[in-house]
Amino acid sequence: MARQIRVLDQTTVNKIAAGEVVESPSSVVKELVENSIDALSNSISINIDGGGTRSIQVTDDGMGMSGDDAQVAFTRHSTSKISRIEDLDQLSSLGFRGEALASIAAVSQVTLTTRARGGKEEGGVRVVVTGGKMLTLEPTGCPEGTTIAVRDLFENVPARKRFLRSERSERTRCIDVVNRLALCHPNISFKLMVDGEERLNDRAVSDHRNRVAAVLGVKTAKGMMEIPPTECGSVTLSGLTSLPWDTRSTSGGITLAVGGRVVKNRSIIEALRRAYGSRLMKGRFPLAVLMIEVDPTEVDVNVHPTKDLVKFSNEGQVIGCVESTVGRVLFGSKQRDRPKGPSTPVTFPELRTKHETPSVQGRKPQSTLFEGEVRAQETPTVDIWSQIPNIEDVEKLPPALPEDAADRKLIIIGQLDRSYILCELGSDLLLVDQHAAHERIRLEMFKRKYARMGYSTQELLEPIHLELDAASSGNLLSMSKELETIGFLVEDFGNGQVVVRGLPQFLGQTEAHVVLKDIATGNESHEGCTSPDPAFTPLDTGMKDRVMALSACRGAIMAHHSLSLKEMEDLLKDLFKCDIPLHCAHGRPTMIRLPITALEKWFRRVL
């Protein structure tokens, strides 16, 4: 019988191994640019043609290589980053495997031109490798640094090339790789040319906001909140994150870097979302650039050949640092760190009645005037106007900042559909969702009561009997220990009944036992609100947040409920006293603003 197991030739082995590192043109770009960063380059230029399949060229002014090093660089497992296994515990470079050049050269034609920085040689060296075979090794004149040109990617592996995406998709992925690396290394100058068109050209800058402005746009950079360098044990976090309104439908707008290495980590992304709490709509993701520095001994980058997945020996510390630090930036105080820009921060109005509008044709007055005033010094001011969204673009809801907002008058016009309070804000229209607004007021009332009373229980003289189906009663009883930690006392009464003997003091009696039914049955949606779940509301503190959000929602003013002028006025006054007046307990907006400019465009007053 003929032997069925055979040893593959080296060319086939190299092509198979290349698949672990070279998944697509973007992975080639990533490997080459990371090598340039590791070479202590001050400037990196990238040129991509045909989605990266025709050509990729990366030029840097880094350390360069000698002729001997350039020749060995194409040998598998050759690297300057480590020399022994112990070095893996102290990695400070972006690459270390020693497979990138060998893998790339196995599936393309690679031309390497390099000259060592400060070397004794008068010139450099040029190396040409095709399909893993070295064709040329010769001296050449060139500046210090390295240029690597990759052409005809996967031409000798048609099966791989057939499974690439469209040229447009591959081009987009290459651009994304360069943009993320540029965001994480603002101290390096980056230039990106794609099919002859300049896509990025930014000099080295001292801070991430300027680099974000170059990569994502000035408006985006101005609308992001700064995360100052914060130490949490052995973890240091810094970066920028967007206001709650500037969100995306995917996590693609989040760039994570650990030790300068762009990585993917679902747990960190979820921690970032939880930090936004109820300010982030369900299914939405913020825009963020997070720089995480960890002791090299506490992170494992050897998880995946592309090095974009990492593991932490103490992942809980990293996740906690992200959640708590970003949370402090967003919620830590009423006085926010506003983005740098020309606009002057303004205060939200101390609402007070000025006078009533005279009756028009015998109608009952429907307007009350307010104007902005600075609060007393003991109360910090809040730059609220920058976070009220415009509805010129309903999908994105960008933030708007009228510079004269503090001087504008707020006039109550009336109700729309007995659900929305309409107000004039200068020449703009402000719409307030009365249910969402009252829900936010009640939520903060419960939080103040809880801060004052803590986990205290009010025992009932007459216990409340809840009649539930077997599944619901079993569900509620399974959570009895957790409910007890916030003040509920529930017991099994048999036959599907649960007896409630005590309620939290910070909740009202009626609301509390209704909320218990909601939790038992899973009926946590109401008035168009979505239930607080781990995907977008921080529940790691236990049942407290869930109960507060439900209680706030259940007792709030309903939609389609008529309000008097005085009730509307009181509601707005209480809303503007809240710490977070722009969102209900479940993350929905409490108000939006329709600028007069949008109306003028719609009515063709301006073009």
Side-chain angles (χ1 to χ4, degrees):
M1 179 178 178
R3 189 174 64 182
Q4 299 297 312
I5 299 175
R6 61 186 61 86
V7 179
L8 297 174
D9 62 88
Q10 193 59 43
T11 301
T12 303
V13 169
N14 288 341
K15 288 181 180 179
I16 293 172
E20 297 180 357
V21 178
V22 187
E23 297 175 338
S24 65
S26 61
S27 60
V28 174
V29 173
K30 176 178 179 293
E31 293 288 348
L32 297 182
V33 175
E34 285 184 343
N35 280 345
S36 294
I37 294 171
D38 281 341
L40 305 180
S41 303
N42 297 311
S43 176
I44 302 174
S45 177
I46 305 101
N47 198 314
I48 298 168
D49 189 30
T53 55
R54 281 200 293 271
S55 71
I56 298 169
Q57 180 171 301
V58 177
T59 301
D60 65 56
D61 60 352
M63 298 297 294
M65 288 180 275
S66 66
D68 291 339
D69 285 342
Q71 184 176 359
V72 178
F74 288 93
T75 305
R76 289 195 68 202
H77 309 304
S78 60
T79 178
S80 62
K81 315 298 172 57
I82 61 174
S83 59
R84 53 199 182 114
I85 190 65
E86 289 79 12
D87 294 339
L88 291 175
D89 294 330
Q90 297 290 337
L91 281 174
S92 59
S93 62
L94 304 187
F96 63 91
R97 290 177 177 271
E99 296 176 288
L101 278 181
S103 297
I104 295 168
V107 292
S108 66
Q109 181 190 78
V110 178
T111 301
L112 167 67
T113 306
T114 184
R115 179 182 176 186
R117 183 188 294 174
K120 297 179 180 179
E121 297 88 349
E122 294 182 358
V125 64
R126 178 173 174 267
V127 181
V128 179
V129 181
T130 300
K133 297 180 180 180
M134 186 173 296
L135 303 181
T136 304
L137 173 61
E138 60 186 10
T140 187
C142 64
E144 293 180 348
T146 301
T147 296
I148 298 180
V150 179
R151 293 181 176 84
D152 301 327
L153 187 63
F154 297 132
E155 279 297 322
N156 60 345
V157 193
R160 294 286 307 283
K161 189 172 184 179
R162 194 163 51 244
F163 284 95
L164 290 178
R165 301 182 185 182
S166 67
E167 182 176 309
R168 180 177 180 180
S169 296
E170 296 296 349
R171 179 172 60 243
T172 300
R173 294 172 71 182
C174 290
I175 294 171
D176 182 66
V177 165
V178 175
N179 283 344
R180 291 182 190 276
L181 287 168
L183 287 172
C184 298
H185 298 275
N187 60 314
I188 300 175
S189 172
F190 278 84
K191 181 178 180 180
L192 173 62
M193 300 291 294
V194 179
D195 295 329
E197 179 183 350
E198 185 175 276
R199 293 299 186 94
L200 175 65
N201 191 356
D202 190 44
R203 68 185 190 282
V205 292
S206 59
D207 61 77
H208 285 93
R209 191 182 298 277
N210 285 328
R211 179 52 56 87
V212 170
V215 175
L216 303 178
V218 175
K219 185 177 180 181
T220 298
K222 286 184 177 180
M224 298 182 78
M225 305 184 77
E226 186 169 357
I227 303 170
T230 305
E231 293 185 6
C232 310
S234 61
V235 180
T236 301
L237 176 69
S238 63
L240 297 167
T241 192
S242 64
L243 291 166
W245 288 117
D246 193 5
T247 61
R248 305 289 187 273
S249 59
T250 70
S251 60
I254 301 172
T255 297
L256 303 178
V258 177
R261 180 184 289 107
V262 178
V263 301
K264 300 173 184 176
N265 188 292
R266 185 176 298 177
S267 298
I268 294 177
I269 291 175
E270 288 305 314
L272 175 64
R273 296 183 72 199
R274 287 196 301 272
Y276 279 75
S278 60
R279 302 186 89 185
L280 194 65
M281 292 288 287
K282 185 176 182 180
R284 305 295 293 181
F285 295 82
L287 184 69
V289 179
L290 299 184
M291 307 298 297
I292 301 171
E293 298 295 333
V294 186
D295 188 326
T297 61
E298 297 184 8
V299 59
D300 179 10
V301 297
N302 202 26
V303 178
H304 191 274
T306 61
K307 305 181 298 294
D308 58 359
L309 298 177
V310 295
K311 286 185 177 180
F312 302 96
S313 61
N314 191 352
E315 187 171 74
Q317 186 179 53
V318 178
I319 291 172
C321 184
V322 171
E323 188 170 346
S324 61
T325 302
V326 176
R328 281 196 298 272
V329 169
L330 293 166
F331 298 97
S333 64
K334 290 187 176 182
Q335 183 63 47
R336 306 289 185 217
D337 270 345
R338 296 300 306 138
K340 299 174 183 177
S343 302
T344 303
V346 296
T347 61
F348 67 81
E350 172 86 22
L351 301 184
R352 65 184 182 87
T353 304
K354 294 291 290 182
H355 60 79
E356 291 186 346
T357 304
S359 298
V360 179
Q361 296 181 350
R363 294 191 321 183
K364 182 179 179 180
Q366 287 291 311
S367 303
T368 304
L369 302 182
F370 306 103
E371 63 181 357
E373 292 181 351
V374 179
R375 290 175 180 262
Q377 289 298 317
E378 64 269 17
T379 305
T381 58
V382 179
D383 182 11
I384 182 178
W385 303 107
S386 65
Q387 299 181 46
I388 298 179
N390 290 339
I391 58 173
E392 290 173 322
D393 182 351
V394 177
E395 295 299 322
K396 189 175 181 182
L397 293 175
L401 177 60
E403 296 183 7
D404 58 344
D407 300 322
R408 295 189 184 192
K409 294 179 179 179
L410 185 65
I411 305 173
I412 296 178
I413 300 171
Q415 273 183 298
L416 174 65
D417 194 33
R418 295 181 300 158
S419 301
Y420 303 97
I421 301 173
L422 307 184
C423 308
E424 289 183 26
L425 176 61
S427 58
D428 297 344
L429 177 63
L430 190 73
L431 299 90
V432 181
D433 183 329
Q434 64 190 37
H435 173 77
H438 196 212
E439 184 179 306
R440 164 52 58 181
I441 293 166
R442 286 171 52 78
L443 178 64
E444 297 203 3
M445 175 191 70
F446 289 138
K447 287 185 175 182
R448 287 193 299 272
K449 285 185 176 180
Y450 173 76
R452 190 169 63 249
M453 299 176 180
Y455 293 118
S456 53
T457 300
Q458 178 183 355
E459 295 191 12
L460 304 177
L461 294 176
E462 296 184 8
I464 300 171
H465 290 259
L466 300 180
E467 293 187 1
L468 303 167
D469 58 76
S472 298
S473 62
N475 185 35
L476 188 63
L477 291 170
S478 69
M479 295 183 285
S480 61
K481 294 295 184 183
E482 191 176 3
L483 290 167
E484 187 177 344
T485 63
I486 57 173
F488 287 101
L489 296 178
V490 297
E491 296 176 4
D492 185 5
F493 200 68
N495 298 322
Q497 291 194 55
V498 175
V499 62
V500 182
R501 300 191 182 280
L503 298 172
Q505 282 196 353
F506 66 90
L507 296 180
Q509 180 172 326
T510 303
E511 294 153 359
H513 83 264
V514 170
V515 165
L516 280 180
K517 267 193 173 182
D518 292 335
I519 292 174
T521 59
N523 179 31
E524 298 186 28
S525 297
H526 182 62
E527 280 286 323
C529 289
T530 50
S531 59
D533 61 62
F536 73 112
T537 300
L539 298 178
D540 60 313
T541 53
M543 188 69 70
K544 175 171 63 70
D545 291 321
R546 189 174 169 188
V547 167
M548 282 188 180
L550 279 169
S551 300
C553 188
R554 288 297 183 266
I557 297 169
M558 301 290 187
H560 310 295
H561 178 81
S562 296
L563 297 177
S564 67
L565 187 63
K566 180 65 167 59
E567 288 173 327
M568 287 186 277
E569 178 185 329
D570 291 342
L571 186 69
L572 291 180
K573 284 182 178 179
D574 290 341
L575 178 63
F576 283 120
K577 290 177 183 177
C578 291
D579 290 336
I580 307 172
L582 301 179
H583 304 79
C584 77
H586 300 93
R588 293 195 302 115
T590 59
M591 65 185 83
I592 54 177
R593 183 162 57 86
L594 177 61
I596 191 66
T597 52
L599 291 173
E600 289 173 339
K601 288 178 183 178
W602 288 339
F603 286 105
R604 299 296 188 269
R605 288 183 175 271
V606 295
L607 299 177

